[in-house]
Amino acid sequence: MDAPLFMAKTDKRMKSKLTNNMENKYQFLPFRFERFNDSEYFLSNEVGEFEFLSKNDFDLFVSEKLETNSNTFLNLKSKQFLTDPQNIETVTNMLATKYRTKKSILNDFTSLHMVVPTLRCNSDCIYCQVSKKDLCDKGFDMSKTTAKNVVKTIFESPSPVIKIEFQGGEPLTNFEMVQYIMEEAEWQNLFKKKCLEFVICTNLSLITPKTLKYLKKHKCYISTSLDGYRDLHNTNRPLQDTKHTHECFEEKLKLTREYLGEDSVSALMTTTCYSLGHFKEIVDEYMRLGFNSVFFRSLNPYGFAKRDKHKIAYSVSDFIENYKEGLMYIIDLNLQGKFFVEGYAELLLKRILTPFATGFVDLQSPAGVGISGVIYDYNGNVYVSDEARMMASVNNQHFKMGNVNENSYQEMFNGEFLHNVIANACTECLPACVECAYQPFCGADPVRNFSEQGDIVGYRPTSEMCKKNKSVIKFLLELIKQNDPKINNIFWSWITKQSIC
Ligand code: SF4
């Protein structure tokens, strides 16, 4: 595969120079750029190499006046922003190899398969994005026939790794079905011999020693939700049958770790308006409860969260301000010798600082919808992502791929619908993203575009997702640019998951 050869933000004069400069001392390679601050430019290329240039150096570079023995020239050459004209083919091949490495997440196709055994739930989260049903509601549990067809469909995926993640509602309200699916998958895997993993997303409240023994036997990981200290968690995620949600969480977390081990549970937080101004206390609570990471996650505009936006939402600027404050607090904790990671920064730093591929369904290009992750609803409907299922719960079936009881794997995963969604979800060719210097680190989300702006392509100047990603990436780049060895060490410790303390 050839690296895409195009230049963004070039005027006609520059374009003609670029194509006719074989006799000149260097040849430009594809790159994007933007003014980073009053005195510097930020440049990036298709494979994620980046460089900061002073305005003067940038002018020299684009007018082909850089001295070939200058540090700037050598830096830009080593990062494939320019090359000697006679080496163009070799360097293009090298870029193509790097590009393939960055995109290697696409090799295996769908590995994350989320399954909803029930839509019933014993929580009353104020932002419930799946529009859950009450415990006594009937008709929202998965049937055995559907479950069998779900597992059959999952094992048609060519991916050598299959992760089955149970979502809800609260999956433990239908634990029999969770067990049925796990055992059916293990049976199928005797023949398919894939690397099979299980994760259950649960509020922990219904966990018992018997459940934990079963989960241990079947090597199932636990993903839970913790929104922060007691009052905040109780406000955001109250259980239906007790006022002591947080105490219950803490007690069940302890029990789970006793049976499955200290590192068996990971937690996610969701930011509501009640969380703003409290990111430090949220981090403190995560640390008090023995977690070594947090993922500052903003509210997504789906389900009850969209319906009740006026009560619990906030502006993207408020989130970014809180995010920066929280991240600096975490960096300070690391400087004091306490290893603690912020998950969103960790993901972006991997993209910025390493040549490797990083799959993250919500932020990759092409978008991960359907091709990296997919969700099977309780009734057998298949959606391109959890967020697409959330949209469906309020009667918007735009991203339904089919139903396991009616459609074949090929119809759903190789049909015109998914091809069309993915073709419109590559940042490399989306309006505005195509020119964006932060593009190599960002990703596309057609479902979010549709929910926020009414079409899958979206409009970046008013996109909240774009604003958030751009701001966070720029903030991380500002920290990297400071070249502070202590902060750099912390970032590398996050990437390598090894404490430097
Ligand atoms: S979404 Fe925004 S930040 Fe991301 S690549 Fe597109 S324009 Fe850049």
Side-chain angles (χ1 to χ4, degrees):
M1 179 173 60
D2 288 335
L5 284 167
F6 63 88
M7 300 280 297
K9 293 185 178 175
T10 51
D11 61 27
K12 277 190 183 151
R13 216 181 69 229
M14 190 189 288
K15 270 185 187 152
S16 77
K17 274 188 178 181
L18 301 182
T19 49
N20 295 310
N21 66 354
M22 289 305 284
E23 71 281 3
N24 295 338
K25 56 187 178 182
Y26 56 85
Q27 166 86 44
F28 294 99
L29 291 165
F31 68 93
R32 301 178 179 86
F33 64 91
E34 79 159 30
R35 195 187 288 271
F36 197 69
N37 53 36
D38 287 347
S39 58
E40 286 171 303
Y41 281 84
F42 173 74
L43 286 72
S44 70
N45 66 13
E46 211 61 36
V47 297
E49 297 283 5
F50 65 91
E51 189 60 65
F52 296 96
L53 290 185
S54 68
K55 187 173 178 324
N56 187 42
D57 278 349
F58 183 77
D59 289 344
L60 289 173
F61 170 47
V62 295
S63 49
E64 299 168 70
K65 289 183 183 151
L66 277 180
E67 291 302 329
T68 52
N69 59 356
S70 67
N71 280 342
T72 306
F73 176 88
L74 294 171
N75 255 340
L76 292 172
K77 187 177 174 187
S78 72
K79 294 180 179 177
Q80 291 94 41
F81 286 97
L82 58 81
T83 181
D84 308 318
Q86 65 274 19
N87 283 339
I88 184 75
E89 196 176 335
T90 314
V91 178
T92 307
N93 284 337
M94 190 196 298
L95 276 171
T97 305
K98 283 186 170 184
Y99 195 71
R100 274 196 292 270
T101 306
K102 276 275 179 197
K103 297 289 179 187
S104 59
I105 40 155
L106 300 174
N107 292 349
D108 293 336
F109 211 61
T110 323
S111 58
L112 174 63
H113 298 263
M114 293 166 278
V115 182
V116 181
T118 180
L119 211 47
R120 292 179 299 118
C121 186
N122 62 339
S123 281
D124 272 334
C125 301
I126 57 173
Y127 49 72
C128 179
Q129 289 154 343
V130 302
S131 312
K132 59 92 193 179
K133 302 296 171 192
D134 283 333
L135 286 181
C136 55
D137 283 336
K138 300 262 185 290
F140 298 101
D141 288 350
M142 188 173 272
S143 71
K144 277 193 177 175
T145 309
T146 298
K148 212 173 175 105
N149 285 333
V150 166
V151 175
K152 182 169 162 271
T153 308
I154 289 174
F155 276 91
E156 289 193 45
S157 168
S159 174
V161 177
I162 295 289
K163 183 191 271 189
I164 298 181
E165 183 175 293
F166 296 99
Q167 297 269 359
E170 166 53 52
L172 292 183
T173 60
N174 192 8
F175 191 53
E176 269 179 30
M177 185 48 62
V178 172
Q179 291 171 291
Y180 178 80
I181 293 169
M182 282 166 91
E183 287 166 32
E184 181 68 19
E186 284 168 343
W187 166 248
Q188 292 273 340
N189 204 35
L190 289 177
F191 308 96
K192 300 280 185 173
K193 303 206 180 312
K194 295 182 184 254
C195 174
L196 177 63
E197 295 172 13
F198 297 115
V199 179
I200 187 161
C201 301
T202 167
N203 61 27
L204 295 182
S205 62
L206 301 174
I207 284 266
T208 63
K210 194 173 163 207
T211 323
L212 288 166
K213 276 183 201 156
Y214 183 90
L215 295 177
K216 184 172 186 178
K217 186 172 164 209
H218 294 268
K219 299 191 178 65
C220 181
Y221 294 94
I222 308 271
S223 173
T224 190
S225 299
L226 171 65
D227 280 2
Y229 49 91
R230 191 186 61 195
D231 288 354
L232 178 59
H233 187 77
N234 288 351
T235 302
N236 282 354
R237 307 187 49 85
L239 286 168
Q240 287 168 3
D241 57 353
T242 173
K243 286 196 165 52
H244 305 289
T245 301
H246 190 271
E247 285 87 343
C248 171
F249 176 86
E250 199 169 338
E251 182 195 315
K252 292 299 175 87
L253 177 66
K254 193 163 165 260
L255 182 71
T256 304
R257 285 174 170 159
E258 271 169 30
Y259 277 83
L260 303 184
E262 280 302 307
D263 296 329
S264 57
V265 188
S266 62
L268 271 178
M269 66 81 77
T270 301
T271 307
T272 64
C273 61
Y274 305 112
S275 322
L276 298 181
H278 301 293
F279 275 30
K280 289 182 185 174
E281 291 99 313
I282 293 169
V283 172
D284 288 343
E285 181 65 359
Y286 266 70
M287 288 190 83
R288 185 183 76 77
L289 290 175
F291 292 103
N292 63 12
S293 70
V294 68
F295 194 119
F296 291 139
R297 201 167 60 141
S298 57
L299 204 57
N300 286 328
Y302 307 103
F304 296 167
K306 190 167 184 178
R307 187 192 66 188
D308 298 336
K309 200 174 171 184
H310 58 289
K311 292 189 204 150
I312 55 176
Y314 42 83
S315 70
V316 69
S317 310
D318 281 344
F319 177 79
I320 291 161
E321 195 184 309
N322 278 263
Y323 179 88
K324 288 179 181 175
E325 195 187 349
L327 185 68
M328 291 316 293
Y329 181 63
I330 291 174
I331 289 174
D332 264 350
L333 291 172
N334 281 268
L335 288 171
Q336 292 165 30
K338 297 171 189 155
F339 179 68
F340 194 85
V341 181
E342 199 288 307
Y344 186 37
E346 179 201 351
L347 169 80
L348 293 171
L349 288 167
K350 262 188 207 155
R351 292 189 180 176
I352 297 169
L353 297 175
T354 81
F356 304 116
T358 44
F360 184 69
V361 179
D362 296 345
L363 196 74
Q364 65 183 56
S365 178
V369 291
I371 62 171
S372 292
V374 67
I375 189 156
Y376 305 84
D377 211 352
Y378 70 94
N379 55 6
N381 283 347
V382 185
Y383 298 99
V384 297
S385 69
D386 199 13
E387 290 75 17
R389 184 258 305 211
M390 293 169 187
M391 274 175 60
S393 70
V394 286
N395 295 326
N396 189 331
Q397 300 282 342
H398 190 86
F399 291 100
K400 181 178 163 187
M401 294 163 66
N403 185 293
V404 291
N405 299 319
E406 295 159 16
N407 301 103
S408 69
Y409 176 86
Q410 283 299 328
E411 282 169 346
M412 291 188 281
F413 287 83
N414 200 14
E416 201 180 325
F417 169 72
L418 191 56
H419 279 263
N420 186 43
V421 171
I422 299 302
N424 283 290
C426 303
T427 47
E428 287 83 354
C429 51
L430 284 177
C433 300
V434 74
E435 294 185 339
C436 176
Y438 304 132
Q439 190 225 90
F441 319 123
C442 196
D445 188 342
V447 181
R448 179 72 185 257
N449 289 341
F450 195 91
S451 170
E452 221 183 87
Q453 300 185 309
D455 77 86
I456 62 175
V457 169
Y459 179 62
R460 249 55 65 200
T462 55
S463 158
E464 294 195 345
M465 193 187 80
C466 172
K467 187 172 176 187
K468 184 184 88 173
N469 291 339
K470 203 174 258 186
S471 306
V472 175
I473 294 169
K474 187 164 184 188
F475 188 59
L476 291 172
L477 288 168
E478 278 164 1
L479 291 172
I480 291 168
K481 200 169 75 66
Q482 287 176 11
N483 224 356
D484 178 335
K486 287 187 184 151
I487 293 186
N488 284 349
N489 280 346
I490 290 167
F491 285 170
W492 278 104
S493 77
W494 293 1
I495 291 170
T496 56
K497 293 233 180 314
Q498 287 187 354
S499 167
I500 48 166
C501 315

